[in-house]
Amino acid sequence: MARNPRRDLLAGLTVAIVALPLALGFGVSSGLGAEAGLATAVVAGALAALFGGSNLQVSGPTGAMTVVLVPIVAQYGPGGVLTVGLMAGVLLIVLALLKAGQYMRYIPAPVVEGFTLGIACVIGLQQIPGALGVPKPEGDKVLVVTWRAIEEFTKAPNWTAVALAAGVAAMMLLGARWRPVVPFSIVAVIAATVAAQLFHLDKAVPIGDLPSGLPAPSLGFLDLSALGSLLAPAVAVAALAALESLLSATVADGMTVGQKHDPDKELFGQGIANLAAPLFGGVPATAAIARTAVNVRTGAGSRLAALTHAAVLAVIVFAAAPLVSRIPLAALAGVLIATAIRMVEVGALRAMARATRSDAVVLILTAAATLALDLVYAVIIGLVVAGALALRAVARQARIDEVDFRPDLPGEHSEEEHALLAEHIVAYRIDGPLFFAGAHRFLLELSEVGDVRVVILRMSRVSTMDATGALVLKDAVEKLNRRGIAVMTSGIRPGQRQALDSVGALGLLQRQGREYASTPEAIAGARAHLEKAGLLPAPGRIAPVIEKAFR
């Protein structure tokens, strides 16, 4: 399975050292405790590595998932969170069987960047109570909780907690610049723990007792009567797990050569992981972009690295629980604050904001919605706004231009004949998409045709057409017909015929004998129509050419 087992084992050990404080911190932040974060890292980390679609992915509790879980814990309690995780696992497996993974590639980059920025802000704000050394206030809105925590701190300042959190965060951020390969998160946590023990810092509240092992699997938390009310949160958790896992796998592919993940298999692996984690008291899991990046950078080449990471964490759970229980909560808050800061890539945000005004709007809206609402709503809002702006941009590409039809006129003719035909015939070329986003503008432009007797619509350059576009075209033809203006079409593509036929536009043109394969044929049809109406003199020099065209 592994091309270089020794390198994979070393990468897995490194990732485990990085993941330990994160698993503890995210477990505490979720509201289920540090033991829940460790259980998730061990169980979900191992199963996602075995059954997932990426060789390099590392899964476990993440900040993004914590953001979603906090309000669920507040409303439904720990048992509700475990049930939501179980349901999310089922939904992820269903998505995998439906082969929905391939559609995640259509999420625009500004939505992803705004989503990441919003998550970073929420994670950082969630750590404020721990960093200030105050009990977490009631509430499920992070801004409200943060404000209440600051109010509590002003009443009874705990500078010990502030110093520990700030010291850990500073060591991680500065150390990463000095020696990027050193896992300063665990170094900083160990230093903070040693300082708290040596100097007897009573205000440095520790994690507390941890079980020396994983609990036996159980479904005791499951309340079948609550499944209906928990469906919406489960959908949100499953959507987030799918989104973050597939984004992480894409990032991992981009950091390597020759590695490519299977999106549907990855969804299946995350589904299995989320089915199992709640049985051991773990929170819902997803792939972790930061831990996956560490895994790749330290030379991982197979799933053995992610499995090693889970195994090392399991050993820590069994052998070092008493030591881990002494870690100050403020130190974990510092780890997560530094993690949130490192999630923000200023260069990428600046480039995205400068790309186009639409990209900047989508990025800002997604980030603001993440902070004010929740992650799933934020992604939906970002996708809707991005889609609307994209449709507007595409619709603006649609054009209808009056063109000179004389180059397509068969044979050679005098200027008098050209002028006579131009007096009664006008030709328009339609370029680009003719669909709901821009079709009505097309109708307005076409309805303003001047005093002519024949309109020729050249449609060979129409890139796409939907039912709305076909209806608008039909309406335009009928309005022109009521004004006594005949409409000829040329160059209708096979892909457009179904839409036109479904609304009756194609039949209308065919009944009137005004659909032609080419523009010269449409001009010949227009000339014949004018002669029949007595608007042109007897056929002149162009008559033999027209007659030849009809033979």
Side-chain angles (χ1 to χ4, degrees):
M1 179 174 66
R3 296 179 182 177
N4 192 331
R6 184 177 179 181
R7 189 173 62 184
D8 286 331
L9 291 172
L10 180 60
L13 176 61
T14 304
V15 175
I17 293 172
V18 173
L20 175 60
L22 294 175
L24 294 170
F26 289 136
V28 172
S29 294
S30 70
L32 270 71
E35 61 273 18
L38 283 174
T40 303
V42 173
V43 176
L47 291 175
L50 283 172
F51 296 100
S54 171
N55 292 327
L56 306 174
Q57 193 98 277
V58 179
S59 299
T62 64
M65 188 60 76
T66 301
V67 172
V68 174
L69 296 181
V70 169
I72 298 176
V73 173
Q75 186 172 357
Y76 301 102
V81 171
L82 299 179
T83 303
V84 163
L86 200 69
M87 295 171 68
V90 175
L91 291 174
L92 286 167
I93 292 174
V94 171
L95 288 175
L97 296 176
L98 294 176
K99 299 190 179 299
Q102 57 184 318
Y103 298 108
M104 302 302 289
R105 72 184 74 168
Y106 297 113
I107 297 179
V111 174
V112 175
E113 292 296 338
F115 174 79
T116 305
L117 174 60
I119 288 173
C121 292
V122 174
I123 292 172
L125 291 172
Q126 281 181 341
Q127 309 318 309
I128 297 301
L132 296 180
V134 300
K136 184 178 178 181
E138 293 294 327
D140 58 355
K141 296 297 182 184
V142 67
L143 293 173
V144 174
V145 171
T146 300
W147 180 253
R148 291 174 179 171
I150 294 173
E151 288 181 331
E152 290 295 321
F153 178 79
T154 58
K155 295 175 184 177
N158 183 348
W159 296 109
T160 300
V162 173
L164 288 174
V168 169
M171 185 179 292
M172 285 182 61
L173 295 173
L174 296 175
R177 293 190 172 210
W178 178 51
R179 289 285 189 272
V181 295
V182 177
F184 277 97
S185 59
I186 195 70
V187 173
V189 167
I190 291 174
T193 306
V194 171
Q197 295 297 312
L198 285 178
F199 298 106
H200 304 288
L201 302 177
D202 296 333
K203 290 190 175 182
V205 180
I207 291 176
D209 293 337
L210 291 174
S212 57
L214 294 175
S218 170
L219 280 172
F221 60 85
L222 188 61
D223 180 4
L224 296 179
S225 64
L227 295 183
S229 60
L230 292 173
L231 180 59
V235 170
V237 168
L240 177 60
L243 174 64
E244 191 172 11
S245 297
L246 294 179
L247 286 177
S248 176
T250 302
V251 169
D253 289 349
M255 295 175 67
T256 59
V257 177
Q259 293 279 2
K260 187 175 181 181
H261 73 282
D262 181 334
D264 297 314
K265 189 176 179 182
E266 180 60 27
L267 290 181
F268 181 79
Q270 294 297 330
I272 295 295
N274 279 284
L275 272 177
L279 303 181
F280 296 88
V283 296
T286 178
I289 295 177
R291 275 158 274 177
T292 299
V294 171
N295 194 39
V296 175
R297 291 193 187 107
T298 49
S302 76
R303 300 168 190 264
L304 179 60
L307 287 169
T308 301
H309 137 269
V312 171
L313 290 177
V315 170
I316 292 173
V317 171
F318 283 100
L323 296 176
V324 172
S325 65
R326 298 180 183 180
I327 297 174
L329 290 172
L332 294 181
V335 170
L336 299 188
I337 288 172
T339 301
I341 293 172
R342 291 166 64 175
M343 286 176 66
V344 180
E345 298 184 12
V346 178
L349 293 175
R350 186 183 293 117
M352 201 66 62
R354 290 178 176 177
T356 66
R357 185 178 299 176
S358 296
D359 289 333
V361 168
V362 171
L363 188 152
I364 293 170
L365 274 178
T366 305
T370 301
L371 191 58
L373 302 173
D374 66 46
L375 302 188
V376 176
Y377 281 128
V379 172
I380 292 173
I381 290 171
L383 289 175
V384 169
V385 173
L389 293 174
L391 284 175
R392 186 183 69 168
V394 171
R396 286 179 173 178
Q397 297 176 3
R399 297 175 54 190
I400 177 168
D401 298 315
E402 184 176 349
V403 293
D404 188 0
F405 63 83
R406 288 184 295 179
D408 295 301
L409 191 64
E412 295 184 2
H413 313 285
S414 66
E415 288 299 321
E416 291 79 10
E417 287 174 314
H418 285 155
L420 188 60
L421 290 172
E423 181 181 348
H424 299 289
I425 303 174
V426 63
Y428 287 92
R429 184 178 62 223
I430 306 173
D431 290 321
L434 188 59
F435 69 134
F436 70 94
H440 294 288
R441 180 169 57 86
F442 160 79
L443 174 61
L444 291 174
E445 291 183 27
L446 191 56
S447 299
E448 294 173 358
V449 172
D451 188 18
V452 295
R453 301 305 299 268
V454 179
V455 171
I456 297 175
L457 297 179
R458 299 173 59 176
M459 301 180 62
S460 60
R461 296 190 183 183
V462 176
S463 58
T464 186
M465 179 186 296
D466 66 357
T468 303
L471 274 172
V472 166
L473 181 63
K474 180 185 177 184
D475 290 343
V477 171
E478 290 175 339
K479 287 184 178 181
L480 291 172
N481 287 167
R482 285 196 292 270
R483 290 171 52 193
I485 300 174
V487 179
M488 313 285 180
T489 61
S490 68
I492 296 177
R493 295 181 179 182
Q496 303 160 8
R497 302 184 75 84
Q498 181 177 354
L500 289 168
D501 190 40
S502 66
V503 300
L506 190 63
L508 174 65
L509 293 168
Q510 290 176 339
R511 285 194 302 273
Q512 296 175 350
R514 294 171 182 173
E515 188 219 339
Y516 299 92
S518 66
T519 300
E521 291 178 336
I523 295 172
R527 178 73 169 80
H529 173 79
L530 295 174
E531 288 176 0
K532 185 177 180 181
L535 297 172
L536 289 181
R541 283 185 295 167
I542 65 172
V545 179
I546 294 175
E547 291 170 2
K548 182 179 178 181
F550 279 92
R551 283 205 287 268

